[in-house]
Amino acid sequence: MSTDENATGDITFDECQIGKGLKPLAQHGSIVIGRDGTITLLGTKGDVIDTAALTATTAKQLLITGGQSVSLVLDGRKYNVTPGWGVKGRARMGALSGIKAPKALVKLVREAIS
């Protein structure tokens, strides 16, 4: 599965492609939505690419990719991410159950802003 909630309440999207423009930053990275209201992009080896408050983050699915990729803007820094790349699983948690990873990521970011 591509989405999981750990014991601390953080939600992790694994197997994420993360890039900035055309430059790839991680092929098998992770996105962590922290219970503390932060979003963190992690590289393939777990190194921190970027982190920001969820309230300073925007997300939208990119229709040009069939909704599989998400445009994330963290404090003005834009990233293209594809959560669950190569994984056909869906989210397994509560209100997100049955939702594909890109849509679940956008929903979490938008809910944090409202």
Side-chain angles (χ1 to χ4, degrees):
M1 291 293 168
S2 62
T3 310
D4 196 18
E5 185 172 6
N6 64 22
T8 63
D10 295 346
I11 298 171
T12 301
F13 294 85
D14 58 6
E15 292 299 317
C16 296
Q17 284 187 336
I18 302 172
K20 193 169 182 119
L22 295 174
K23 180 182 178 188
L25 300 175
Q27 183 70 23
H28 300 282
S30 300
I31 301 169
V32 179
I33 307 287
R35 188 171 172 191
D36 61 354
T38 61
I39 182 169
T40 304
L41 305 180
L42 300 173
T44 302
K45 296 180 181 179
D47 51 313
V48 175
I49 294 171
D50 202 351
T51 189
L54 278 171
T55 54
T57 303
T58 60
K60 69 177 183 177
Q61 281 183 273
L62 298 174
L63 297 179
I64 196 164
T65 64
Q68 293 301 306
S69 294
V70 175
S71 173
L72 279 179
V73 181
L74 284 69
D75 280 333
R77 297 174 302 278
K78 187 175 181 179
Y79 297 92
N80 297 314
V81 300
T82 307
W85 178 255
V87 178
K88 294 186 180 180
R90 296 173 184 260
R92 300 181 278 168
M93 310 154 319
L96 298 177
S97 191
I99 299 176
K100 288 188 176 182
K103 189 172 184 176
L105 175 60
V106 171
K107 181 177 176 155
L108 287 169
V109 170
R110 289 186 178 165
E111 285 177 355
I113 295 170
S114 358

